[in-house]
Amino acid sequence: MEPLYKPQGVEARWQRTWEEEGLFHADPESERPSYVIAVPPPNVTGVLHMGHALNASIQDALIRWHRMRGFNTLWQPGYDHAGIATQAVVEKKLRAEGTSRLEIGREAFLEQVWAWLREYGGVIMGQFRSLGCSLDYERERFTMDDAYVRAVMRFFVHLYERGWIFRDNRIINWCSDCRTSISDLEVEHRDVDDALTYARYPLADGSGSVTIATVRPATILADVAVAVHPGDERYTGLIGRDVIVPVVGRVVPVISDERVEPEFGTGALKITPGHDPLDFEIGRDHGLPEPSVIDLDGRMTGDIPAEYIGLTEDEAAERVVAWLREHDQLEKRESYRHAVGHCERSGTRIQPLVSLQWWCAMDELARPAIESLESGRVAFHPPVHGRVALDWLKAIRPWNVSRQLWWGHQLPIWYCPDGHVICAETEPDACAECGSQDLVRDPDVLDTWFSSALWPFATLGWPDDTPELRAFYPGDANVTGRGIIFLWENRMIMAGLELMKDIPFSHVVINSNVLDSVGRPMSKSLGNGVDPLDMIAAHGADATRYGLLKMSSTQDIKFSEGSIEAGRKLANKLWNASRLLLMSGGDEVAARPSSLEERWILARIDATRAEVEADLTTYDFAHAVDRLYHLTFDDFCDWYLESIKPRLDDPDVKATAFAALERLLKLLHPVLPHVTEEIWSNLPARASRLVVALWPEADAEYAGDVKALDNAQTAARIYRRSGVRIAVAGDALRIFEAVVRPSADGRGDVGAERTRVEKEIARAERMLANEKFVANAASDVVDAEREKLAEYRAELAALGG
RNA sequence: GGGCGCAUAGCUCAGCGGGAGAGCGCUCGCUUCACACGCGAGAGGUCCCUGGUUCGAUCCCAGGUGCGCCCACCA
């Protein structure tokens, strides 16, 4: 064994060994209780980033801990097909080759996607291995596997038969860059500097005008009404009369609607159902037409003056404003900053437009999910996220599930020439209503998150009744970032309750977002990302895991490499502590403590075991690893090993030391799996790999000994600080001398030590002299203060005071 | 517009009603027979501000300042 622990090589060797020996594989026939986590499936095109590394470190710590506690443990791996992202990557490649998906057609395009994935996709599972993740790799699933596709089809047909899937012309979020609709959740609002244009619409009878304000003058061409608030006295007389829409000259009514905000602008709102979500709702309720003047490319279209056809929205807006100015209908323009929806993927400004799409009504799905959150059957950690998830479910709206893409799960919908719609899991032979065999499948695919909702059970074989499904559903925990609580967590809960009649997991653990060292999100465009693989190469996977868990929090976290370096030091320290014991021989492992420090370390290890268990139970990983760090450095190395060093040739002392080391390795294994397994393999008489060794049982035998070294430690502290030796005897004296190795020469600065203790005594005396403190404070607080006073007086006496 | 969170040592953070802590960095002393990725000692802080509650506030309450996040159909 080298003095410097080198994780490179050691780690890869154990990763191979564990997997080859099948130690990550979960057996559905096992009698043991299961513990199941399904990994958040990474995009099949993605590479490991720091967020994955943190997310995976947390899951692996939980998984390894439960495996050691005897659970039949399944960590389910797999990939998400990531419709928009994957399609975009392959389209980019085609563009570089001078062609396009439209040119080569759907079938050839999909072949290209699969070819691309075979060559470049699916690299993250290998990177998870490098991190030491104990996923059951044999069970890797992909949302585009045939079996998974079947599950998605079943889900859609199920919802259709329930009457919750419907097709309708409604306002959608169109991304002209991705060339598809996206759901409300994929829209992010950003502040944009716009101009607010005030335009006068003349009354049709020539008796005056009404002024509206708009940020999108081009949409004036699609106006079908002007709306005012029913209680707005300025406009009471106008309701029911007609106005003339500028440019197009259309005569449209003035209507009244509660949703108009009288305080904003002029209090009169132009109604454009074709290009605004609020206007769309108002238009539907008032039975107004829904003309569209902007097409899917963002170009002007429809029943508008010829000179507008084909312009961009901005060009059209300029022309409309010029028209208003020429006709003296432009009241004013003022600068205006407001939030505007953008596509979260491409950053493109969202075009709201009316489109015929497939939708899922969510109210019935949400109801049992709401119950599961309110009752606590599904608990979020930290709980605040559960409250936010609940609020979203209670205000849930229809979900636009169709996407105008090719890569994904094509809708199981067919149309016959007579307009009949058939929804079936597989292609029907003929239309059930008219018998036509001339069926055309809907070209759209489903929102990627539609398939993700099935992840906890489609990966286990649903809709078939498989041994896996029976053994591993419902799962236990789901660990993810807060960004996908609505997109994924809530939808898994809804889908699980609907299809499996049970929640998919009982704990949702929300991990931090990892920011760069100055608090900005890590991003490709900023170039501020830190590659976890670089950290693994530099410090080891164990160190990287330790560092990420140490950083973890209920808040967003700034990445600090220092935490990872601390992990490397911990691994190295453990390595060298083990060297000390292994190099001095010994072939027995048995807790046979005969001295104070031996009882003490067993007590400390057991106390830390209990604390770590409590931390892991509450998903407080930072505290868990901090305790393990101090147990290793302070208790095990600085005190215990230093105390027994002079007696390492005693077989009983060695046997106990190995027993203590064995327990320490077990406690550290979920965090530092490789170095602990490596050391473990060198201990005498190993019955199994550490990865499947049993977690230490509670050991009450030494519980009274956690403070047994207090006297020796106090004496050491005083001696090291001042050179003063206070009187200790027996074990405490022996330990003091072993650890401190005091020099023979004389006494140090007793005066300074006395002054320090006297100040403490004075403080305690002052408090206890305060009658109000003694009368009002809790009795245990007062007692503790009296105890401290007594201890300090004893210390002063020991200093010869 | 609604909701949530954070401000503690140079840095990253813990503590959250009774003596201000850790890791890193810094200073000093140790190449002591596991480890210099080590051991020991030390310097360093109006615990954001102003009020309030309390015998006692970094911790609870109110207000303020600064930073961040989520949700949102005021055109």
Side-chain angles (χ1 to χ4, degrees):
Chain A
M1 288 175 91
E2 300 276 327
L4 182 62
Y5 173 63
K6 297 192 183 82
Q8 298 77 10
V10 173
E11 292 183 341
R13 193 176 75 243
W14 283 113
Q15 286 152 14
R16 266 197 315 278
T17 305
W18 288 325
E19 205 174 327
E20 281 167 12
E21 294 179 354
L23 301 177
F24 300 160
H25 189 59
D27 174 11
E29 308 301 334
S30 166
E31 299 287 311
R32 290 173 296 145
S34 67
Y35 182 82
V36 179
I37 299 177
V39 80
N43 287 3
V44 65
T45 58
V47 294
L48 192 75
H49 58 59
M50 210 47 90
H52 294 126
L54 169 62
N55 178 253
S57 298
I58 288 172
Q59 291 172 78
D60 199 43
L62 290 171
I63 285 286
R64 286 182 184 269
W65 178 45
H66 281 88
R67 188 182 289 117
M68 292 176 75
R69 294 208 297 162
F71 287 85
N72 183 29
T73 303
L74 170 61
W75 190 11
Q76 171 68 47
Y79 290 106
D80 191 278
H81 66 286
I84 298 180
T86 305
Q87 176 156 334
V89 168
V90 178
E91 283 199 63
K92 188 178 169 192
K93 171 180 171 272
L94 292 179
R95 263 199 306 282
E97 292 168 356
T99 182
S100 72
R101 75 173 158 113
L102 294 172
E103 208 165 292
I104 65 173
R106 184 168 192 146
E107 202 174 321
F109 176 75
L110 292 178
E111 278 171 23
Q112 290 271 332
V113 175
W114 282 106
W116 196 93
L117 291 181
R118 275 193 297 275
E119 186 153 8
Y120 305 108
V123 300
I124 289 191
M125 290 307 139
Q127 298 173 326
F128 278 157
R129 285 178 171 95
S130 304
L131 193 60
C133 294
S134 58
L135 289 145
D136 189 350
Y137 296 99
E138 293 171 47
R139 295 184 185 280
E140 182 182 308
R141 295 290 181 272
F142 181 32
T143 53
M144 290 301 286
D145 288 343
D146 290 345
Y148 204 106
V149 172
R150 195 158 61 87
V152 175
M153 297 299 110
R154 171 68 65 89
F155 183 33
F156 187 90
V157 172
H158 174 93
L159 294 172
Y160 188 91
E161 286 170 354
R162 290 282 242 159
W164 299 338
I165 293 279
F166 62 97
R167 192 186 194 207
D168 194 12
N169 263 304
R170 292 178 156 235
I171 201 111
I172 53 141
N173 307 297
W174 179 260
C175 172
S176 56
D177 189 58
C178 302
R179 300 206 51 85
T180 179
S181 66
I182 58 175
S183 73
D184 296 342
L185 287 173
E186 291 156 296
V187 174
E188 79 180 15
H189 292 82
R190 286 191 215 155
D191 275 353
V192 165
D193 287 311
D194 263 331
L196 194 55
T197 301
Y198 289 74
R200 273 191 290 275
Y201 286 33
L203 287 163
D205 59 15
S207 65
S209 67
V210 57
T211 303
I212 58 86
T214 180
V215 291
R216 301 181 61 195
T219 65
I220 284 175
L221 306 184
D223 280 357
V224 296
V226 166
V228 298
H229 192 275
D232 191 336
E233 290 173 6
R234 294 171 296 179
Y235 297 119
T236 314
L238 288 182
I239 298 167
R241 298 172 66 184
D242 290 334
V243 296
I244 301 168
V245 176
V247 184
V248 290
R250 186 160 44 237
V251 176
V252 303
V254 177
I255 61 172
S256 80
D257 195 287
E258 300 264 344
R259 285 163 285 194
V260 178
E261 184 55 63
E263 306 302 318
F264 187 86
T266 63
L269 170 64
K270 79 186 198 63
I271 298 298
T272 320
H275 296 291
D276 182 274
L278 174 62
D279 294 9
F280 177 81
E281 281 185 22
I282 293 176
R284 277 271 157 116
D285 293 348
H286 291 263
L288 298 171
E290 296 161 3
S292 187
V293 296
I294 304 171
D295 68 15
L296 299 183
D297 297 311
R299 300 278 173 172
M300 301 304 289
T301 185
D303 186 16
I304 57 175
E307 65 268 29
Y308 282 89
I309 301 281
L311 299 184
T312 65
E313 184 185 341
D314 285 348
E315 290 164 352
E318 256 177 62
R319 212 173 263 234
V320 168
V321 170
W323 188 98
L324 291 169
R325 195 176 286 119
E326 280 165 28
H327 292 76
D328 196 29
Q329 285 174 227
L330 179 67
E331 191 167 306
K332 60 177 173 178
R333 297 194 86 191
E334 52 191 33
S335 61
Y336 179 56
R337 191 174 177 78
H338 66 140
V340 176
H342 290 71
C343 172
E344 129 192 292
R345 226 196 72 76
S346 68
T348 310
R349 188 163 171 160
I350 289 299
Q351 183 64 254
L353 45 83
V354 173
S355 170
L356 185 60
Q357 300 272 350
W358 287 92
W359 304 79
C360 183
M362 301 301 290
D363 302 85
E364 296 297 321
L365 285 165
R367 190 164 303 141
I370 289 168
E371 185 282 328
S372 72
L373 263 61
E374 283 181 334
S375 67
R377 288 167 64 213
V378 178
F380 278 68
H381 310 274
V384 62
H385 294 113
R387 292 193 288 275
V388 177
L390 190 55
D391 289 345
W392 184 83
L393 284 168
K394 286 178 170 174
I396 202 159
R397 295 191 294 177
W399 176 13
N400 170 205
V401 294
S402 46
R403 295 288 175 275
Q404 291 66 58
L405 304 170
W406 286 349
W407 173 243
H409 303 99
Q410 192 169 355
L411 269 66
I413 292 283
W414 285 263
Y415 307 104
C416 83
D418 290 347
H420 298 129
V421 176
I422 306 122
C423 178
E425 285 182 45
T426 53
E427 180 161 7
D429 297 328
C431 173
E433 290 185 60
C434 66
S436 167
Q437 298 190 343
D438 185 14
L439 302 179
V440 176
R441 188 167 185 177
D442 192 302
D444 283 359
V445 301
L446 288 158
D447 182 356
T448 296
W449 296 103
F450 189 89
S451 48
S452 314
L454 311 179
W455 189 247
F457 45 94
T459 50
L460 300 174
W462 185 88
D464 295 335
D465 179 22
T466 62
E468 280 78 8
L469 207 53
R470 287 193 296 271
F472 303 126
Y473 193 93
D476 296 90
N478 191 267
V479 184
T480 192
R482 94 176 102 73
I484 57 176
I485 291 174
F486 307 146
L487 287 162
W488 195 43
E489 300 298 330
N490 278 352
R491 286 172 180 161
M492 283 190 286
I493 295 167
M494 287 188 278
L497 286 165
E498 174 63 22
L499 299 172
M500 297 295 298
K501 305 298 171 206
D502 202 353
I503 52 173
F505 34 71
S506 38
H507 298 279
V508 177
V509 182
I510 300 300
N511 62 245
S512 307
N513 293 332
V514 185
L515 309 173
D516 73 8
S517 60
V518 292
R520 300 169 304 178
M522 290 188 181
S523 76
K524 270 186 194 163
S525 54
L526 281 172
N528 59 344
V530 180
D531 187 343
L533 298 178
D534 290 345
M535 293 298 109
I536 292 171
H539 308 294
D542 287 343
T544 303
R545 297 160 60 107
Y546 173 91
L548 286 166
L549 293 175
K550 182 69 178 72
M551 284 177 241
S552 72
S553 157
T554 56
Q555 301 288 127
D556 285 355
I557 53 176
K558 292 180 200 168
F559 180 79
S560 74
E561 191 166 350
S563 298
I564 293 178
E565 285 165 3
R568 190 188 60 199
K569 288 184 179 186
L570 177 58
N572 190 59
K573 188 71 172 175
L574 191 66
W575 177 254
N576 279 292
S578 308
R579 280 180 73 224
L580 172 67
L581 296 177
L582 290 167
M583 288 189 314
S584 59
D587 54 10
E588 202 192 347
V589 178
R592 254 193 327 261
S594 60
S595 67
L596 195 63
E597 67 271 30
E598 292 174 293
R599 298 180 59 84
W600 175 84
I601 193 60
L602 294 171
R604 297 293 299 181
I605 290 171
D606 190 58
T608 305
R609 173 203 54 77
E611 289 167 347
V612 166
E613 285 175 2
D615 290 336
L616 293 178
T617 302
T618 53
Y619 307 103
D620 184 351
F621 304 98
H623 280 107
V625 300
D626 193 53
R627 290 184 207 288
L628 292 168
Y629 183 95
H630 288 292
L631 176 69
T632 306
F633 269 84
D634 304 347
D635 295 344
F636 193 81
C637 292
D638 292 350
W639 286 100
Y640 171 64
L641 289 185
E642 294 299 334
S643 303
I644 62 166
K645 245 184 204 175
R647 301 188 290 130
L648 274 180
D649 52 353
D650 180 335
D652 287 342
V653 171
K654 282 301 297 290
T656 301
F658 279 137
L661 177 61
E662 177 180 72
R663 291 176 201 194
L664 181 64
L665 293 173
K666 286 178 173 180
L667 296 185
L668 285 162
H669 180 78
V671 181
L672 310 177
H674 308 90
V675 69
T676 51
E677 187 77 84
E678 176 72 3
I679 295 167
W680 177 269
S681 71
N682 288 305
L683 290 182
R686 297 301 84 211
S688 77
R689 299 290 182 209
L690 177 55
V691 61
V692 288
L694 283 180
W695 184 255
E697 292 289 323
D699 188 351
E701 193 178 342
Y702 315 108
D705 297 309
V706 278
K707 292 168 82 86
L709 257 55
D710 280 7
N711 286 343
Q713 289 177 335
T714 299
R717 197 169 54 244
I718 289 172
Y719 177 80
R720 284 166 168 169
R721 193 155 52 202
S722 64
V724 175
R725 284 191 70 158
I726 63 170
V728 286
D731 280 326
L733 177 61
R734 181 178 51 74
I735 293 164
F736 170 80
E737 289 184 334
V739 173
V740 176
R741 293 179 213 160
S743 54
D745 61 315
R747 304 176 61 82
D749 184 1
V750 193
E753 280 305 300
R754 273 195 206 148
T755 307
R756 184 185 57 77
V757 178
E758 278 162 359
K759 270 165 83 175
E760 295 292 350
I761 290 171
R763 188 196 55 77
E765 283 177 338
R766 204 177 326 116
M767 278 185 82
L768 290 165
N770 181 347
E771 284 173 27
K772 286 180 174 171
F773 169 71
V774 178
N776 294 329
S779 62
D780 59 324
V781 173
V782 179
D783 289 347
E785 211 52 47
R786 291 200 172 107
E787 211 169 296
K788 278 187 256 177
L789 180 57
E791 282 168 16
Y792 284 124
R793 281 180 171 153
E795 202 174 316
L796 188 64
L799 284 164

